[in-house]
Amino acid sequence: MGEETEEQFMFYDKLRSSLFPYLYSMAYTAYKNGIPVARPLPLIYEETDRYDGVKNAYMLGDSFLVGVFDMNLDLPSGKWYDYFTGEFYEGDQKIEYNIPSGKGGALFLKEGSVFVTQKPKKYLDKKVPSNYKIEVFPGDDCEFTLCEDDGITMQYEDGNVAITKITLNKVSADEYILTVGKRFMENDSYEDIGEKTGFDVVIYNNRLPREIILEGEKVEFLQGERSSVSFRIPKELHEEKEVKCQVCY
C-alpha cells in the first residue's frame, strides 16, 4: 500500500505498544467494574445530552479522547492536550481539527490525568519491562492503578495481579503532589510478579515548573518535546517505599 501507509501503520503500532501498560490496566478495570476501555461520551458526560448523537469521538480509558472520521469535534469542558503535536486546547468548544501529517485522526489527553506507558517493543517478552514512564497532565486530583499479571494464565481471576497505585493531588494552582505507591499483590498468597522498576516521569503543561522535590531533595528536570519536562524516580527508591514528588510552579 506504499511507503506512506507503511510508515503510518508503524507509527500506530509503536503507539499502541507504548500505551500497553495503560490499555492493559484499563482492560483489568473493565473486568472488575464493567466500564469498557472504549467509552462513548454519553456514558462519561451523562449530566448533559450534548453528546448523545456524537459518533466521531470517544474516550479511551480514563485519560484519552479519540477523534475519528469527521474532525468537527466538540471538546468537553476542561483543558485538552494534543498528544501528537503538544498543543493545548480549551474545552467546552467546537473545533475543526487539522489532522497532523501521517496520523489518522485526533488523540487528546484530558487535563487531570496520570497514567503509565513503556518504550515501544516488538513483542511482549517479559511480564515487567525494565523501565516504565509515568505521564502527567496536571489538573484536578486524579489517580491511576497500574495492573500487571503473568500475561499468560487466567490467574488474574484469583488475584494474581500486581497493583501499583499512582495519585496526583492538587495542593494549589502552583503545587501538585505525585505519589507512587509500593507495589503489592492483590491476593497476597501469590508471589510478586517480578522486579520493581524505576520510573521516568513526564509532565505536560504550558508552563515550566519552578522546582521539583523528590522525597525532600530538589531534583534536576529536563525540558523535552511537546511542552514537557521529565525527571527520574530511581528503581532503588521505588523498591524501598512509597515515593512522593512535589511539583511547584
Side-chain angles (χ1 to χ4, degrees):
M1 296 178 68
E3 290 184 4
E4 183 178 350
T5 304
E6 181 183 16
E7 289 177 3
Q8 191 173 26
F9 176 85
M10 290 178 65
F11 171 82
Y12 277 98
D13 197 30
K14 290 179 180 178
L15 175 62
R16 181 187 180 278
S17 178
S18 70
L19 289 174
F20 187 80
Y22 171 74
L23 295 173
Y24 204 77
S25 297
M26 289 294 100
Y28 189 68
T29 299
Y31 162 72
K32 295 288 281 187
N33 64 22
I35 299 178
V37 178
R39 305 169 183 176
L41 295 186
L43 177 66
I44 306 304
Y45 299 97
E46 59 182 355
E47 72 282 356
T48 177
D49 60 3
R50 176 175 164 181
Y51 304 108
D52 287 358
V54 170
K55 298 179 180 179
N56 64 337
Y58 63 92
M59 292 295 297
L60 182 64
D62 294 334
S63 298
F64 285 101
L65 175 70
V66 181
V68 295
F69 310 122
D70 175 7
M71 290 295 102
N72 292 298
L73 300 172
D74 189 351
L75 294 179
S77 59
K79 292 182 180 178
W80 297 87
Y81 172 82
D82 189 325
Y83 204 65
F84 294 147
T85 69
E87 293 182 58
F88 294 89
Y89 290 79
E90 289 291 337
D92 206 18
Q93 66 165 325
K94 294 183 179 181
I95 64 169
E96 185 175 350
Y97 183 74
N98 293 315
I99 301 175
S101 176
K103 308 301 184 293
L107 186 62
F108 294 102
L109 179 61
K110 180 180 71 174
E111 180 185 39
S113 290
V114 59
F115 59 97
V116 173
T117 61
Q118 66 183 15
K119 291 181 179 179
K121 304 169 74 173
K122 291 183 178 180
Y123 54 91
L124 298 173
D125 55 341
K126 51 185 178 179
K127 292 176 281 190
V128 179
S130 57
N131 192 57
Y132 277 125
K133 184 188 293 184
I134 299 174
E135 303 195 37
V136 180
F137 183 12
D140 292 333
D141 292 356
C142 56
E143 63 179 37
F144 177 78
T145 301
L146 174 64
C147 303
E148 304 162 291
D149 63 21
D150 62 18
I152 300 172
T153 72
M154 303 289 285
Q155 289 182 350
Y156 68 86
E157 294 181 343
D158 299 322
N160 186 20
V161 179
I163 299 294
T164 305
K165 292 188 176 180
I166 303 169
T167 60
L168 183 70
N169 296 111
K170 182 179 181 179
V171 179
S172 70
D174 297 320
E175 182 180 348
Y176 295 87
I177 302 293
L178 175 69
T179 304
V180 182
K182 292 194 71 174
R183 188 170 70 192
F184 65 92
M185 298 302 294
E186 194 169 61
N187 183 339
D188 58 13
S189 65
Y190 285 100
E191 293 184 5
D192 204 344
I193 212 76
E195 289 188 10
K196 295 180 177 65
T197 69
F199 293 96
D200 291 318
V201 181
V202 180
I203 304 173
Y204 304 105
N205 209 331
N206 52 9
R207 53 180 180 158
L208 291 176
R210 175 171 47 86
E211 61 182 7
I212 296 175
I213 300 171
L214 175 62
E215 287 296 312
E217 300 288 337
K218 188 183 294 188
V219 295
E220 296 293 328
F221 57 87
L222 300 175
Q223 188 172 355
E225 299 178 345
R226 298 184 300 162
S227 306
S228 70
V229 298
S230 63
F231 66 98
R232 183 158 178 76
I233 298 175
K235 171 184 175 181
E236 296 74 20
L237 195 58
H238 180 221
E239 286 178 328
E240 180 183 340
K241 60 182 179 179
E242 175 183 270
V243 180
K244 288 187 178 293
C245 312
Q246 183 181 7
V247 183
C248 302
Y249 289 92

